[in-house]
Amino acid sequence: NAGVTQTPKFQVLKTGQSMTLQCAQDMNHEYMSWYRQDPGMGLRLIHYSVGAGITDQGEVPNGYNVSRSTTEDFPLRLLSAAPSQTSVYFCASTRGGRGYEQYFGPGTRLTVT
Amino acid sequence: QQQVKQSPQSLIVQKGGISIINCAYENTAFDYFPWYQQFPGKGPALLIAIRPDVSEKKEGRFTISFNKSAKQFSLHIMDSQPGDSATYFCAASKMGETSGSRLTFGEGTQLTVNP
């Protein structure tokens, strides 16, 4: 199993550009999430999904869109990139329910200039 | 508003010493408290987790102590090794069906274990 994979590893965008961060998992996990990691702030939840076709907002959803058409994939779209979105983005998946381990991908480091 | 507060921000320990990281939470609905370990350039990985019905959980050199009345929990790393040098995050999630996908993280502690 590859686990949780993310592409690209690094990305530089100009302000106003849009892009999609890709996330895929091969563990047949029901739940998937996107977090952003900023120095001194830990990881903050952006959006999450509890199954194909079902998504909801986390703590910091503004400027991001998600969709979940399959169990395996959960892409994160930046609509119009801003310097405040410079961060490291992590995708995670879990079997579901209460307290199951979340498996994190290797992250995408995004810089917006 | 940070619902889970973690301290210290950084910690330096000598090899063989005890590393202690503390977390405090506000929301009494939280009922699952994991600790994650992150090495540079990698995603976080689950280290150990506890539920509030027990006051302590031990796995090898790693122990979580939990104080429900004080709304605090801590990670103790016994016999700390240079390989333990990493960033540690405490986290919490609420009761409910979707809680497995919604973790609230502390700010993180960068641990350095000197040889």
Side-chain angles (χ1 to χ4, degrees):
Chain A
N1 283 356
V4 179
T5 57
Q6 292 184 239
T7 55
K9 263 190 102 55
F10 302 95
Q11 183 70 49
V12 179
L13 289 179
K14 293 190 189 310
T15 297
Q17 287 184 318
S18 63
M19 79 158 295
T20 299
L21 307 186
Q22 301 292 343
C23 174
Q25 52 93 7
D26 62 358
M27 297 174 282
N28 201 30
H29 283 169
E30 227 178 320
Y31 293 179
M32 295 185 75
S33 308
W34 276 103
Y35 294 86
R36 59 178 288 174
Q37 182 176 15
D38 302 291
M41 303 190 74
L43 288 89
R44 292 179 292 167
L45 182 65
I46 304 172
H47 285 286
Y48 65 99
S49 169
V50 298
I54 307 169
T55 63
D56 206 346
Q57 296 180 351
E59 183 185 352
V60 289
N62 292 342
Y64 308 96
N65 267 2
V66 292
S67 60
R68 182 111 178 262
S69 55
T70 67
T71 300
E72 295 78 20
D73 300 297
F74 190 42
L76 177 73
R77 280 183 288 278
L78 279 71
L79 309 172
S80 177
S84 61
Q85 294 179 304
T86 293
S87 187
V88 182
Y89 291 85
F90 289 99
C91 179
S93 74
T94 185
R95 187 154 51 109
R98 295 167 51 177
Y100 287 114
E101 175 177 357
Q102 285 211 25
Y103 294 84
F104 284 83
T108 294
R109 183 173 292 274
L110 175 69
T111 302
V112 183
T113 61
Chain B
Q1 183 181 2
Q2 194 79 20
Q3 290 197 55
V4 178
K5 299 192 77 65
Q6 183 172 346
S7 62
Q9 193 173 2
S10 64
L11 180 62
I12 300 175
V13 173
Q14 291 299 117
K15 179 181 174 182
I18 302 173
S19 304
I20 301 174
I21 304 170
N22 300 299
C23 282
Y25 64 97
E26 297 175 1
N27 192 334
T28 55
F30 287 147
D31 74 338
Y32 172 66
F33 302 90
W35 284 89
Y36 280 80
Q37 180 188 55
Q38 184 183 32
F39 293 104
K42 305 290 187 184
L46 180 66
L47 187 62
I48 186 172
I50 197 168
R51 295 191 185 276
D53 52 345
V54 296
S55 59
E56 186 175 280
K57 182 173 181 180
K58 184 175 181 179
E59 289 184 2
R61 296 184 294 108
F62 301 91
T63 300
I64 300 179
S65 297
F66 186 82
N67 185 329
K68 189 174 181 178
S69 61
K71 293 188 287 185
Q72 295 175 347
F73 58 111
S74 59
L75 176 69
H76 296 234
I77 306 174
M78 311 299 287
D79 187 25
S80 299
Q81 299 297 312
D84 296 330
S85 297
T87 301
Y88 292 81
F89 293 97
C90 62
S93 68
K94 298 177 188 178
M95 293 180 284
E97 289 183 1
T98 63
S99 66
S101 63
R102 290 189 290 166
L103 287 172
T104 299
F105 283 86
E107 299 93 329
T109 297
Q110 189 164 339
L111 172 66
T112 302
V113 181
N114 288 329

